[in-house]
Every structure is written in C-alpha cells, then in structure tokens.
Amino acid sequence: MDYVLLTEQFLNGFQLGIILFLMAAGLTLVFGIMDLVNLAHGSMFMIGAFVGGTITLVTGSFIVGVVLMIPAMLIIGIIVEMTTLRTLYPRDHLDHVLATFGLILFFNEATRLVWGPEGLVVPLPDFLDGTVALGAITYPVYRIVIIAVGLLVALGLYILVSRTRIGMLIRAGASNRTMAGALGVNIPLLFSIVFGIGAVLAGLAGLIITPITAAQIGMGEDVLILAFVVIVIGGIGSIRGAFIASIVTGVIDTMGRSFLDVFLLLFLPENAAESAGPALSSMMIYILMAAILFFRPQGLFPPKGAG
Amino acid sequence: MEHLRSPANILTLIVVGLCAVVPFLAPALGEPFYVIVFARIMIWAIAAVSLNLIMGYGGMISFGHAVYLGIGGYTIGILAFHGITSAWIQWPAAIGACALISLIFGAISLRTKGVYFIMITLALAQMIFFLSVSAERYGSDDGLNILSRSDFGVSFFDLNDKLTMYYTIFAVLLASVFISWKLVHSRFGVVMRAAKSNDTRVQAVGVSTYRYRLIAFVIAGVMCGIAGLLQANFERFVSPDMMNWPRSGELIFMVVLGGMSTLFGPVTGAFVFLMLSEILSTWTIHWHIIFGPFLVLVVLFARGGIHGLLTRRSDKGVGP
C-alpha cells in the first residue's frame, strides 16, 4: 500500500467532511430547532458560491469575497425565512419537502438567469496557491486552509451553542419551543437568526469549495443529499453528531473511491474488482447509513431531550 | 364515488376520456405529437398512483419513489442489451427486481419515522442512481438505448404497434387505479389508513403495522416498476435521470397537486403537472422560475389539491 497516497486521500476525505459539516450544521440546527425539512439548503450553498465568487471577481480579493459573503448570506437567508419558510412551520413535513423543492427550482433558474448557464470560475489567490510539505507528502495549502476554517467554525459553533446567551436561547427553543416562547423568548426572531446562520454556513461551504470545483448551477444538491446522510447518521439536531458523522462520511467516501478496487483485488479476480470497485464505492456511505440505522434508528448521537 | 356527478368525478371522466380517445383525436386535429405526450402522462400517472398508495393512504412520504421507475426500466434495458427481449422473461424480471429492492429498502427505512423516513428513502434511491451513473457498461450518464421493445412472441400483441403500446399503457393505468381502489377498501387498506392516523392504537389492537406498511411499500414499488418498464419500452431508452431525486420530488408533487388520498387525484395531478410544464416550456426556457413559486403557492394555499378544492366546493352546494 502506498502510504503517501493513503495520507493524501485521508486528508482529502477530511476536507470533504469539513464541507459536509458546514452544510449539515445548518441543516441539523434548522431541523432540530424549527422542525423544518429544508431542501433549499443546497441552494444557499450555491448562492453563497455565486455571490461570494462575484464579489471576489469584482474586488479581486478572495478574502473580501468571503467576508462580504457573510452578511449577504445572512440577509438572503433571513429574507427566505421571512417570506416563505415562516409560513411552513405549522405545516407537516410533506409540505416542507414540496415547498422547498419549489424553492430549489426557483433558485436554480434565477441563478441561470443572472449568471448564465456556464457557471463561474473563481481563481485561487496566489498566496493560497501552493503546496506545503507534511512529512513525506506535499499537500495543497488551500485544502489545509479549508480544513482549518472548518475546524474553527466547528469550534465557534460549539462555543456559540453551549456558552453564549443566544446559544442558550437556541437550545431552549429546540427542547421546548412553546415554553421558551412563554418565558419571553422572541421565537420568530430566533428562528430568523438561526436560519440566517445556517445560510451563512452553507454559503461559506459553497464559496470555499469554488476555487477547486467552480460555481455551477445545482452544485448544492449532491452535497445536500450527502448532508442528509450525515445528519441521519449523526442524529438529527445534534451538532456534535453532525461533526463526527461528516468526517466519517467524508473519509469513507473519498478513501472508498480511491482504494476499494485495490482492496477488492485481494479476493476478487481483476476484471470483477475493476467493475465492482467504482459501483460499490459510490454506494458505500449509503450502506453505512443503512447499517447504522438498522441498529440505531435515531442515529449515533441523538440530541438530549429530543423526541 | 358517492356523488357521481361531483365536479371531481366529472374532471376524472374528462381526463380519462381524453386519454382514451387521444390516439384518434390528436391526429384528426393535426397534433399527432399529443399522442406521445399523453402516453408519457399516463406512465407518470401510474407511478403517481403507486406513490399515493403509500403516501396518501399510508402516510409514508417516500422521497425516493422514482428509483423504481429506474429499476423497472433498467431491468428491461440491461436484459435487452444482453439480447434477451422476450417479455415473458423481461417483465417478470423487472417486477421481481422491484419487489426485491423495495422489500430491502422498505425493511430498512420503515424502521424509522417522519423526517428520517423521508431522508432515508431519498438516500437509498440516490444510491441506486449513483450505481447507474457508475455503470459504464450500460452507458453511465448517457443512458442506454433499447434496440427492440419487449417481445410477447405473438402476432396480435406487438408493442411496436403504436396503438397497442398506447392502449397497453392505458390499460395498466386503469388497472393500477382499480387495484388501489380494491386495496384501500379491503381489510388491508383499513389497517393501513388506521395506522396512518394512529399507529400506537393499531398496534395495541394487536396488528403489526410494520408488516402492513412493508407489504404496501412493496406493492407500490412493484406498481411503479411496471410504470418504469412501460417507460423503457415506450421511449426505448433508459438513463439515470429517470430516477434522479428531482423525479421523486415531481412524483410527490403530482400526487399532492391532484389530491392526496383520492383515487384519481394522482392521475389528474400528473395530467396537470405535465401539461403545464409542456405549455410553460414552450413560452420560455426559464419556465422553472414560474413553476417553482407555483409549487410553493400550491403547497401554501391549495391543501387537498385539485380534487380537494373541487370536493369542498361541491360539498358546500350539495350539503354534507
């Protein structure tokens, strides 16, 4: 086995896990607190990439793009929450799915109208465009930056939710919305803020991946489905569960894609391994999810007080 | 069916009647293209009827139902690719594949409830979708052309004949509605509907709701798979796109638009949905920008769908 490649792929998987976490954190917060199934979260990922990418191209600075994307996504998120999602809270999950599915169609088409069908290529700034030696391997600086940013955001979220006043309100709203409201918490405002935070996190994920993949219409949808897998594995409503499940999912998915056919060669003939490898590796995280749910239908880390 | 002349029933009659006469009406009006449009509508309608069976009557919101279209279709496509075109092998194989997969997926996903169920059905369906994308032998993303349609081996029933193909689809549609009606009004259907409204109570009576749900899930999967095998035969083409998750979303929307838990609602829903997208797409290529908000508005303001709206109005006029 090639250990350099192994480490490299592990880091790539970790980085995918970080992106998934940024998506899943917002999704799981929104679901845990507002009981809302939000498919349009993938659209926030895409809009963050396009808006931040445009700011980057106009100002010529990726940092400015990231910084200005944050208030932009906060505003867009809050507008979406106030105009559409707010009316959905008393409805059932089926209505959530349908209405947010409609929002996806709208956002995808609106993006196509504004930015055209080709998407947006955002160059990596020079100071991030290099490699760094980590022991025996050389690894792109930018991917390390992604991992670092994700870990910082995870830490920040942890502090926000568990140590601050707004985090306390969020937890109170999650465990008993009616009681929190009765004690004077402005629940509608809290919901708007939480949704705004979720939109910022999704937008950040979309924007930081853009220099690697370019911004494309519908880019959020595959990530959204992976994020669903993540929060189902981690337990809906749990940030900690989302973090662990994201990393596990990212690593397993990436490692599976690179090494499963080599692994299958150990006990399968060559042509069988070569055809089964890609097929099986694309299914692996779903099999993992099915296995976990079979033993723990509530996910690995169901939040305390939920259910 | 109590108020035979209720607006909902009249609408049903119009839609079904149109489906019945289009192969003769459309060419006479100089619009032969509409025969194809209607055949497609009816195939989707079968899939929508099957989804309504579990979603409308059983409360199981499957967000991966289009996967059975794909499994049914790909079974035909893959067998045809290997030179097996006999319908007597193809069709049982497609039905068997759908039954097996829906049994496995149902057994896993029915262990969960609510939003977990939605997400798991979605994820499991995407798994098959990605499998079809990675199957290079069978065309990957580009899909798989089917050189010849299922062969029944008899001269009087040949799917290459346009009318035979069309009326086969029509007959399957009517049969799927009839089977739903039979099921819903049987003991089985009563248990399913009771479990939807109060699962704990039904279990307390001593009925294993899990088993009933699983059977319903498999029936719906097979019924949708039949729609898929018809689609493969009709289009002579299968591709991963036919089971990608937006298709599942569209199926849910057809059911809700027409009217959940009504017998013909899904048929009307498929009809309105596909006609509307047909018409809107001739106006502008950006028709989704109208269609998306339309969907949101239907959810917000038209609960009960078209059949629900019509029934409510007739109730006001006729009395309870």
Side-chain angles (χ1 to χ4, degrees):
Chain A
M1 192 71 80
D2 183 348
Y3 286 98
V4 172
L5 190 63
L6 198 68
T7 322
E8 229 174 69
Q9 290 300 333
F10 179 81
L11 285 173
N12 286 345
F14 201 85
Q15 179 239 306
L16 173 65
I18 291 289
I19 298 292
L20 287 179
F21 169 68
L22 290 177
M23 275 293 277
L27 212 53
T28 206
L29 266 183
V30 165
F31 185 78
I33 294 165
M34 305 179 229
D35 197 25
L36 176 82
V37 186
N38 178 27
L39 299 179
H41 205 64
S43 299
M44 298 296 128
F45 183 85
M46 174 184 72
I47 294 171
F50 274 94
V51 169
T54 306
I55 298 172
T56 305
L57 293 177
V58 169
T59 61
S61 162
F62 188 62
I63 304 291
V64 175
V66 173
V67 170
L68 289 184
M69 181 277 303
I70 292 170
M73 287 313 293
L74 196 63
I75 293 167
I76 291 172
I78 288 174
I79 290 174
V80 172
E81 199 273 342
M82 286 179 139
T83 51
T84 319
L85 301 179
R86 181 164 286 188
T87 50
L88 291 172
Y89 296 145
R91 303 299 192 82
D92 56 20
H93 291 145
L94 178 60
D95 287 356
H96 300 170
V97 168
L98 272 181
T100 52
F101 180 63
L103 285 180
I104 293 183
L105 298 184
F106 173 77
F107 283 129
N108 279 351
E109 211 51 56
T111 308
R112 191 168 295 145
L113 269 178
V114 176
W115 280 280
E118 299 87 14
L120 201 65
V121 176
V122 177
L124 202 57
D126 290 335
F127 67 96
L128 291 175
D129 189 13
T131 54
V132 65
L134 295 174
I137 70 161
T138 51
Y139 199 68
V141 174
Y142 187 63
R143 284 178 186 268
I144 292 175
V145 171
I146 292 181
I147 292 174
V149 167
L151 290 177
L152 276 178
V153 170
L155 184 68
L157 259 184
Y158 173 75
I159 292 171
L160 178 79
V161 172
S162 65
R163 295 275 183 274
T164 65
R165 184 172 170 77
I166 187 163
M168 193 181 68
L169 297 180
I170 288 173
R171 280 179 290 136
S175 63
N176 194 331
R177 200 189 312 172
T178 324
M179 189 54 101
L183 291 172
V185 178
N186 186 344
I187 294 288
L189 180 69
L190 183 70
F191 281 9
S192 293
I193 292 173
V194 169
F195 194 83
I197 294 173
V200 169
L201 292 178
L204 179 66
L207 182 55
I208 59 177
I209 202 72
T210 298
I212 300 177
T213 62
Q216 284 151 354
I217 289 150
M219 67 191 280
E221 285 151 26
D222 289 343
V223 185
L224 176 81
I225 288 163
L226 282 180
F228 273 156
V229 171
V230 161
I231 67 173
V232 166
I233 292 177
I236 297 176
S238 158
I239 298 260
R240 185 171 63 118
F243 184 75
I244 296 168
S246 296
I247 303 299
V248 169
T249 307
V251 169
I252 288 186
D253 190 54
T254 309
M255 301 282 265
R257 278 172 208 282
S258 355
F259 298 111
L260 197 65
D261 44 354
V262 184
F263 179 69
L264 286 176
L265 269 180
L266 297 178
F267 45 89
L268 276 181
E270 192 175 331
N271 54 358
E274 265 168 21
S275 58
L280 202 59
S281 64
S282 64
M283 295 167 69
M284 239 170 37
I285 55 161
Y286 301 101
I287 296 170
L288 172 79
M289 178 194 72
I292 285 175
L293 283 171
F294 196 77
F295 295 105
R296 288 182 69 107
Q298 296 303 307
L300 289 180
F301 306 96
K304 293 177 208 113
Chain B
M1 291 288 143
E2 297 87 53
H3 310 288
L4 267 179
R5 272 186 290 175
S6 75
N9 286 344
I10 291 171
L11 181 67
T12 303
L13 271 180
I14 293 173
V15 171
V16 175
L18 264 179
C19 289
V21 299
V22 150
F24 302 100
L25 191 66
L29 294 174
E31 300 276 1
F33 175 65
Y34 273 89
V35 183
I36 296 172
V37 174
F38 267 71
R40 281 184 188 144
I41 288 176
M42 291 193 300
I43 290 168
W44 280 100
I46 298 165
V49 167
S50 76
L51 178 61
N52 186 39
L53 199 59
I54 51 173
M55 191 172 82
Y57 295 107
M60 295 169 255
I61 306 167
S62 167
F63 198 4
H65 204 61
V67 75
Y68 304 107
L69 278 175
I71 295 168
Y74 262 93
T75 311
I76 304 293
I78 290 170
L79 285 175
F81 179 81
H82 291 290
I84 302 166
T85 57
S86 166
W88 306 107
I89 299 173
Q90 278 188 347
W91 290 34
I95 290 170
C98 286
L100 182 69
I101 303 277
S102 56
L103 185 69
I104 297 171
F105 285 6
I108 297 168
S109 47
L110 284 169
R111 285 175 57 84
T112 63
K113 287 198 176 64
V115 68
Y116 281 90
F117 184 82
I118 298 175
M119 291 180 186
I120 289 155
T121 46
L122 170 66
L124 289 173
Q126 281 311 100
M127 177 175 93
I128 304 289
F129 167 76
F130 286 120
L131 182 67
S132 70
V133 169
S134 69
E136 275 168 34
R137 188 142 188 230
Y138 304 116
S140 300
D141 275 331
D142 299 332
L144 184 61
N145 280 309
I146 298 170
L147 295 179
S148 62
R149 287 179 173 153
S150 298
D151 180 11
F152 278 87
V154 286
S155 58
F156 58 85
F157 192 80
D158 182 2
L159 290 181
N160 288 311
D161 177 61
K162 275 183 191 156
L163 282 181
T164 309
M165 184 79 230
Y166 185 92
Y167 282 106
T168 303
I169 299 172
F170 184 62
V172 173
L173 174 61
L174 292 185
S176 66
V177 176
F178 179 72
I179 290 168
S180 308
W181 180 69
K182 271 292 191 196
L183 271 176
V184 169
H185 291 89
S186 66
R187 181 180 175 278
F188 180 84
V190 173
V191 173
M192 213 163 71
R193 282 181 289 158
K196 179 191 175 190
S197 64
N198 194 330
D199 191 72
T200 322
R201 260 190 206 178
V202 180
Q203 286 190 22
V205 181
V207 179
S208 160
T209 51
Y210 179 81
R211 268 212 341 250
Y212 278 82
R213 285 213 172 95
L214 186 57
I215 294 169
F217 196 87
V218 173
I219 294 172
V222 167
M223 199 185 272
C224 190
I226 293 173
L229 76 84
L230 288 173
Q231 191 175 45
N233 269 299
F234 180 74
E235 310 281 358
R236 295 176 62 182
F237 174 69
V238 285
S239 76
D241 188 59
M242 72 197 274
M243 55 174 140
N244 201 0
W245 70 275
R247 302 293 90 70
S248 298
E250 286 163 13
L251 270 178
I252 295 181
F253 184 51
M254 288 173 196
V255 175
V256 172
L257 178 66
M260 257 213 310
S261 336
T262 63
L263 214 47
F264 275 97
V267 181
T268 315
F271 180 80
V272 173
F273 179 98
L274 292 166
M275 284 307 267
L276 202 61
S277 39
E278 193 72 41
I279 293 163
L280 283 178
S281 61
T282 58
W283 287 357
T284 163
I285 53 161
H286 299 296
W287 59 282
H288 270 149
I289 210 155
I290 306 166
F291 206 68
F294 168 71
L295 223 158
V296 178
L297 291 176
V298 168
V299 173
L300 292 182
F301 300 111
R303 307 207 73 189
I306 296 167
H307 278 240
L309 287 176
L310 290 176
T311 315
R312 223 175 298 153
R313 193 168 300 158
S314 77
D315 280 353
K316 272 179 204 152
V318 183

